[in-house]
Every structure is written in structure tokens, then in C-alpha cells.
């Protein structure tokens, strides 16, 4: 008999047995590479800059956790797993795309989608809204690190892509919106 032990953070060994609600399939393959990680970082930081937020830095630990999250979330159709199972120390933004073409969506598509929610954010009444939560996490000034991952592949008749970015410290903290979500910088 051979026994193996594996300790992986931040969620610990429970990862291997964790299955999201509504899971009906095997996870889609990981499609994360250094170019993808860089593209995510560049897109996120471009949006943060115009909201007076310091640039994020890639955390290898958060990339590993984001890969786990992409694997986990891709087991259920669309984004039906939501943020279920997320370690509460982290913030998270999720994106799903389906296509008839066998091509993984780019991170810039995900970030553009998240940032577009900012047009609905009410700076005169700052706080959390499910309509703007991705946007506020992207520009959250106190967040310093990010890890992004992508799972993609064919399921039934469409090619699906899941993009997950995990943030530390987490954003969207009640009572902290005014100092963390600054209005867009006005261009001269």
C-alpha cells in the first residue's frame, strides 16, 4: 500500500473532493499560460489607473488558486456555480463565453465585460450591487495582488471559456467603498 499526502493552499486538501452545486461534467482543460496572465494583468491595471488605484501584481499562489477555481466552476454549466466554495479571504471575478469556434476567449474580453459595469455604479451612493460588483473589485484601491486563470474546451455543441481572477485583499467590503472606488479620472 502506498499513501500520499498533499497539502496545497489556500483552501487546503479539500479541493480534490469539492464539487460545485449543479456539477454535471468533468472540468474543462486549463488554458492558462504566462501570456494569458500578463494580458489579464495589463488589462486590469489599465482600468485601475484611470480610477487612481495602484497597479496589481501577479501572485503565483493566487494563480494556482484561480486555476483551481476555474476547474471547479467549469464543472457546472455557465456560471451556475457562482462564487460557491470561494475562500472568503479573496475577491473573485468570473466570466463565461460560449462560441461555435474552437477558440478560447481572451482575458481582455473578460476584463472589458467586468469594467463595463462601471457605467451603472452610483458614486453618490457608494456600496455593493450585484450589477456592479465585478467593476468595483477590479478598481478596488486596497487590492494589491491578483491571479487569473482560464479553463476552455468543447462541451456538447459549443466551445466554452471560463476566466477567473482572484484578488487579495478582497474588495467589495461594506463601509469601505468611498475610499476604494474612485470616480474615473477626467481627461483634459
Amino acid at each position: 500500500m502506498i499513501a500520499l499526502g498533499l497539502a496545497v493552499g489556500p483552501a487546503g486538501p479539500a479541493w480534490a473532493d469539492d464539487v460545485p452545486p449543479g456539477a454535471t461534467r468533468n472540468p474543462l482543460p486549463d488554458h492558462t499560460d504566462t501570456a494569458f496572465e500578463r494580458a489579464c494583468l495589463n488589462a486590469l491595471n489599465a482600468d485601475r489607473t484611470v480610477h487612481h488605484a495602484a497597479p496589481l501584481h501577479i501572485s503565483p499562489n493566487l494563480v494556482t488558486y484561480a486555476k483551481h477555481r476555474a476547474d471547479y466552476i467549469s464543472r457546472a454549466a455557465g456560471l451556475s456555480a457562482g462564487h460557491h466554495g470561494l475562500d472568503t479571504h479573496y475577491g473573485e471575478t468570473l466570466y463565461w463565453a460560449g462560441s461555435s469556434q474552437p477558440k478560447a476567449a481572451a482575458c481582455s474580453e473578460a476584463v472589458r465585460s467586468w469594467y463595463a459595469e462601471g457605467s451603472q455604479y452610483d458614486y453618490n451612493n457608494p456600496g455593493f450591487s450585484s450589477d456592479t460588483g465585478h467593476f468595483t473589485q477590479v478598481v478596488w484601491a486596497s487590492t494589491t495582488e491578483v491571479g487569473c486563470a482560464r479553463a476552455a474546451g468543447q462541451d456538447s455543441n459549443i466551445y466554452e471559456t471560463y476566466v477567473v481572477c482572484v484578488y487579495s485583499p478582497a474588495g467589495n467590503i461594506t463601509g469601505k467603498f468611498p475610499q476604494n472606488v474612485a470616480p474615473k479620472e477626467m481627461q483634459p
Side-chain angles (χ1 to χ4, degrees):
M1 174 189 258
I2 299 175
L4 298 173
L6 178 63
V8 288
W15 284 4
D17 299 324
D18 207 10
V19 178
T24 59
R25 62 186 184 192
N26 290 326
L28 296 177
D30 176 48
H31 280 257
T32 307
D33 58 20
T34 303
F36 175 80
E37 293 173 30
R38 277 275 157 224
C40 291
L41 183 69
N42 291 341
L44 290 165
N45 283 339
D47 291 339
R48 290 173 61 81
T49 298
V50 297
H51 290 271
H52 311 285
L56 297 172
H57 302 282
I58 294 174
S59 161
N61 290 340
L62 291 181
V63 171
T64 299
Y65 187 55
K67 286 180 180 182
H68 159 70
R69 294 291 299 156
D71 175 277
Y72 178 86
I73 291 162
S74 74
R75 293 172 188 238
L79 292 176
S80 62
H83 299 292
H84 181 270
L86 177 67
D87 182 324
T88 57
H89 292 97
Y90 303 119
E92 178 177 72
T93 51
L94 305 173
Y95 175 80
W96 176 89
S99 174
S100 61
Q101 302 300 311
K103 178 179 168 255
C107 193
S108 59
E109 295 173 41
V111 175
R112 186 171 38 251
S113 169
W114 299 331
Y115 187 75
E117 295 176 2
S119 66
Q120 301 175 56
Y121 188 72
D122 183 358
Y123 293 95
N124 295 317
N125 187 23
F128 181 77
S129 163
S130 60
D131 293 332
T132 61
H134 293 104
F135 162 74
T136 51
Q137 175 59 79
V138 166
V139 302
W140 195 263
S142 296
T143 297
T144 58
E145 296 181 312
V146 68
C148 298
R150 172 175 60 183
Q154 185 84 27
D155 182 51
S156 63
N157 59 353
I158 61 170
Y159 194 86
E160 297 180 86
T161 302
Y162 293 80
V163 176
V164 177
C165 290
V166 180
Y167 304 82
S168 181
N172 292 332
I173 307 299
T174 301
K176 304 288 185 184
F177 282 80
Q179 62 268 42
N180 281 287
V181 183
K184 190 173 182 178
E185 183 177 276
M186 300 307 253
Q187 300 299 321

